[in-house]
Amino acid sequence: MKRVGIYLRVSTNGQTTENQRRELEAVAKRSGWEVVGIYEDTGVSGAKGRDKRPAFDQLLKDATARKVNMIAAWSVDRLGRSLQDLVGLLQELQALKCDLYLHQQAIDTTTPSGRAMFQMCGVFAEFERAMIERVNAGLARPVRRVFGSAGSRSSPRSKTAYVSSGRKV
Protein backbone atom coordinates (compact mmCIF):
# COMPACT_ATOMS: atom_id res chain seq x y z
CA MET A 1 0.00 0.00 0.00
CA LYS A 2 1.19 3.48 -0.83
CA ARG A 3 1.83 5.76 2.14
CA VAL A 4 1.43 9.19 0.57
CA GLY A 5 2.49 12.61 1.71
CA ILE A 6 0.43 15.32 0.03
CA TYR A 7 2.36 18.52 -0.70
CA LEU A 8 0.45 21.79 -1.10
CA ARG A 9 1.93 25.18 -1.94
CA VAL A 10 0.76 28.64 -2.93
CA SER A 11 3.04 31.58 -3.67
CA THR A 12 1.11 34.34 -1.92
CA ASN A 13 -0.82 34.63 1.31
CA GLY A 14 -3.89 35.75 -0.66
CA GLN A 15 -4.19 32.31 -2.28
CA THR A 16 -5.58 29.09 -0.84
CA THR A 17 -4.56 25.45 -1.10
CA GLU A 18 -8.10 24.13 -0.62
CA ASN A 19 -8.62 23.06 -4.25
CA GLN A 20 -5.28 21.26 -4.28
CA ARG A 21 -6.10 19.51 -1.01
CA ARG A 22 -9.60 18.44 -2.04
CA GLU A 23 -8.49 16.97 -5.39
CA LEU A 24 -5.42 15.18 -4.05
CA GLU A 25 -7.31 13.67 -1.13
CA ALA A 26 -9.95 12.40 -3.58
CA VAL A 27 -7.26 10.83 -5.79
CA ALA A 28 -5.69 9.16 -2.77
CA LYS A 29 -9.04 7.75 -1.70
CA ARG A 30 -9.87 6.44 -5.20
CA SER A 31 -6.40 4.92 -5.52
CA GLY A 32 -6.45 3.26 -2.11
CA TRP A 33 -3.48 5.24 -0.82
CA GLU A 34 -3.03 5.93 2.88
CA VAL A 35 -2.53 9.67 3.45
CA VAL A 36 0.04 9.89 6.23
CA GLY A 37 0.48 13.66 6.13
CA ILE A 38 -0.49 16.94 4.53
CA TYR A 39 2.51 19.24 4.04
CA GLU A 40 1.59 22.84 3.28
CA ASP A 41 3.72 25.88 2.45
CA THR A 42 1.75 29.13 2.11
CA GLY A 43 3.17 32.37 0.74
CA VAL A 44 6.41 30.76 -0.46
CA SER A 45 7.68 30.91 -4.03
CA GLY A 46 8.57 27.69 -5.81
CA ALA A 47 11.85 29.36 -6.73
CA LYS A 48 12.89 29.19 -3.08
CA GLY A 49 15.05 26.29 -2.01
CA ARG A 50 14.15 23.51 0.35
CA ASP A 51 15.57 25.47 3.29
CA LYS A 52 12.98 28.23 2.73
CA ARG A 53 10.03 25.82 2.49
CA PRO A 54 9.64 24.13 5.87
CA ALA A 55 6.76 21.80 4.94
CA PHE A 56 8.56 20.63 1.78
CA ASP A 57 11.71 20.04 3.82
CA GLN A 58 9.75 18.00 6.38
CA LEU A 59 8.10 15.95 3.61
CA LEU A 60 11.50 15.03 2.18
CA LYS A 61 12.79 14.16 5.66
CA ASP A 62 9.76 11.91 6.12
CA ALA A 63 10.49 10.26 2.76
CA THR A 64 14.08 9.67 3.89
CA ALA A 65 12.77 8.16 7.15
CA ARG A 66 10.48 5.94 5.02
CA LYS A 67 7.32 7.38 6.60
CA VAL A 68 6.04 8.06 3.08
CA ASN A 69 6.75 6.08 -0.09
CA MET A 70 4.87 8.38 -2.45
CA ILE A 71 4.57 12.15 -2.77
CA ALA A 72 1.48 13.65 -4.37
CA ALA A 73 1.37 17.26 -5.53
CA TRP A 74 -1.04 19.32 -7.59
CA SER A 75 1.50 20.21 -10.28
CA VAL A 76 5.22 20.13 -11.04
CA ASP A 77 5.47 23.88 -10.40
CA ARG A 78 4.29 23.31 -6.82
CA LEU A 79 7.51 21.36 -6.24
CA GLY A 80 9.85 23.89 -7.80
CA ARG A 81 10.66 26.11 -10.74
CA SER A 82 14.27 25.16 -11.37
CA LEU A 83 15.00 22.26 -13.69
CA GLN A 84 18.17 21.50 -11.77
CA ASP A 85 16.25 21.34 -8.46
CA LEU A 86 13.46 19.23 -9.96
CA VAL A 87 15.85 16.71 -11.52
CA GLY A 88 17.74 16.55 -8.21
CA LEU A 89 14.46 15.92 -6.40
CA LEU A 90 13.55 13.12 -8.81
CA GLN A 91 16.97 11.49 -8.32
CA GLU A 92 16.63 11.76 -4.54
CA LEU A 93 13.16 10.20 -4.63
CA GLN A 94 14.36 7.40 -6.93
CA ALA A 95 17.21 6.60 -4.52
CA LEU A 96 14.66 6.42 -1.69
CA LYS A 97 12.30 4.27 -3.79
CA CYS A 98 9.70 7.00 -3.27
CA ASP A 99 7.21 7.53 -6.08
CA LEU A 100 5.78 10.84 -7.26
CA TYR A 101 2.29 11.66 -8.48
CA LEU A 102 1.54 15.02 -10.15
CA HIS A 103 -2.19 15.57 -10.62
CA GLN A 104 -2.33 18.30 -13.29
CA GLN A 105 0.16 16.57 -15.56
CA ALA A 106 -1.12 13.04 -14.74
CA ILE A 107 2.49 12.02 -14.10
CA ASP A 108 3.35 8.90 -12.18
CA THR A 109 7.10 8.41 -11.87
CA THR A 110 6.78 4.67 -11.36
CA THR A 111 6.95 4.45 -15.18
CA PRO A 112 9.76 5.49 -17.58
CA SER A 113 7.33 7.70 -19.50
CA GLY A 114 6.29 9.34 -16.22
CA ARG A 115 9.91 10.15 -15.38
CA ALA A 116 10.51 11.59 -18.86
CA MET A 117 7.34 13.70 -18.68
CA PHE A 118 8.37 14.99 -15.22
CA GLN A 119 11.66 16.24 -16.64
CA MET A 120 9.94 17.94 -19.60
CA CYS A 121 7.47 19.66 -17.26
CA GLY A 122 10.43 20.89 -15.25
CA VAL A 123 11.84 22.60 -18.33
CA PHE A 124 8.58 24.48 -18.83
CA ALA A 125 8.28 25.39 -15.13
CA GLU A 126 11.75 26.96 -15.28
CA PHE A 127 10.83 28.82 -18.49
CA GLU A 128 7.63 30.13 -16.89
CA ARG A 129 9.58 31.37 -13.88
CA ALA A 130 12.02 33.25 -16.13
CA MET A 131 9.14 34.87 -18.00
CA ILE A 132 7.46 35.93 -14.74
CA GLU A 133 10.72 37.50 -13.52
CA ARG A 134 11.18 39.31 -16.83
CA VAL A 135 7.64 40.72 -16.80
CA ASN A 136 7.96 41.81 -13.16
CA ALA A 137 11.28 43.52 -13.85
CA GLY A 138 9.71 45.36 -16.78
CA LEU A 139 6.79 46.51 -14.67
CA ALA A 140 9.08 47.70 -11.88
CA ARG A 141 11.11 50.02 -14.11
CA PRO A 142 9.54 52.48 -16.52
CA VAL A 143 10.72 52.38 -20.09
CA ARG A 144 13.25 55.16 -20.59
CA ARG A 145 13.61 56.94 -23.91
CA VAL A 146 16.66 59.00 -24.70
CA PHE A 147 16.32 61.30 -27.72
CA GLY A 148 19.58 63.23 -27.79
CA SER A 149 20.10 66.80 -26.57
CA ALA A 150 17.63 69.58 -27.40
CA GLY A 151 18.57 71.63 -30.41
CA SER A 152 20.84 69.01 -31.94
CA ARG A 153 20.27 67.79 -35.44
CA SER A 154 17.68 65.09 -35.34
CA SER A 155 18.09 61.97 -37.40
CA PRO A 156 16.57 58.53 -37.07
CA ARG A 157 19.98 57.19 -36.02
CA SER A 158 20.34 59.65 -33.15
CA LYS A 159 17.13 58.51 -31.50
CA THR A 160 17.53 55.41 -29.38
CA ALA A 161 15.06 53.79 -27.05
CA TYR A 162 16.33 51.83 -24.09
CA VAL A 163 14.09 49.14 -22.73
CA SER A 164 14.18 47.84 -19.17
CA SER A 165 16.90 45.36 -20.07
CA GLY A 166 19.20 48.19 -21.12
CA ARG A 167 19.50 46.90 -24.69
CA LYS A 168 19.07 49.26 -27.63
CA VAL A 169 15.87 48.87 -29.58
Side-chain angles (χ1 to χ4, degrees):
M1 173 182 260
K2 291 293 181 186
R3 295 178 318 280
V4 66
I6 294 177
Y7 181 66
L8 313 170
R9 183 185 66 77
V10 290
S11 299
T12 65
N13 290 321
Q15 297 170 311
T16 178
T17 60
E18 278 311 305
N19 290 339
Q20 295 175 40
R21 179 189 299 260
R22 184 175 46 251
E23 288 294 321
L24 291 170
E25 285 177 336
V27 168
K29 186 175 182 178
R30 281 192 310 270
S31 302
W33 301 336
E34 175 191 0
V35 176
V36 296
I38 304 286
Y39 303 80
E40 182 174 350
D41 284 317
T42 303
V44 182
S45 169
K48 301 289 184 196
R50 179 176 171 173
D51 60 323
K52 303 280 194 248
R53 296 190 282 161
F56 186 62
D57 185 53
Q58 185 59 53
L59 173 59
L60 296 179
K61 286 178 181 176
D62 287 351
T64 301
R66 310 279 197 240
K67 292 179 183 177
V68 300
N69 60 8
M70 176 174 254
I71 293 174
W74 178 253
S75 177
V76 68
D77 64 353
R78 301 300 87 198
L79 298 175
R81 292 199 181 258
S82 159
L83 179 59
Q84 182 177 3
D85 290 345
L86 291 169
V87 171
L89 170 65
L90 183 58
Q91 290 172 342
E92 183 178 351
L93 295 179
Q94 286 173 330
L96 296 170
K97 306 276 190 261
C98 184
D99 296 318
L100 179 64
Y101 172 80
L102 300 172
H103 185 69
Q104 285 296 98
Q105 291 82 18
I107 291 176
D108 178 354
T109 61
T110 60
T111 67
S113 61
R115 287 188 295 277
M117 284 301 296
F118 175 76
Q119 291 176 1
M120 284 187 272
C121 288
V123 168
F124 288 106
E126 185 173 348
F127 173 73
E128 182 181 30
R129 175 177 167 236
M131 293 306 295
I132 289 168
E133 288 175 356
R134 185 174 174 188
V135 167
N136 286 340
L139 292 173
R141 288 176 285 186
V143 175
R144 198 169 34 120
R145 294 184 188 266
V146 179
F147 291 106
S149 61
S152 67
R153 287 192 343 223
S154 180
S155 73
R157 292 180 187 256
S158 67
K159 296 181 181 181
T160 307
Y162 289 90
V163 203
S164 61
S165 67
R167 293 184 299 183
K168 291 182 181 179
V169 182

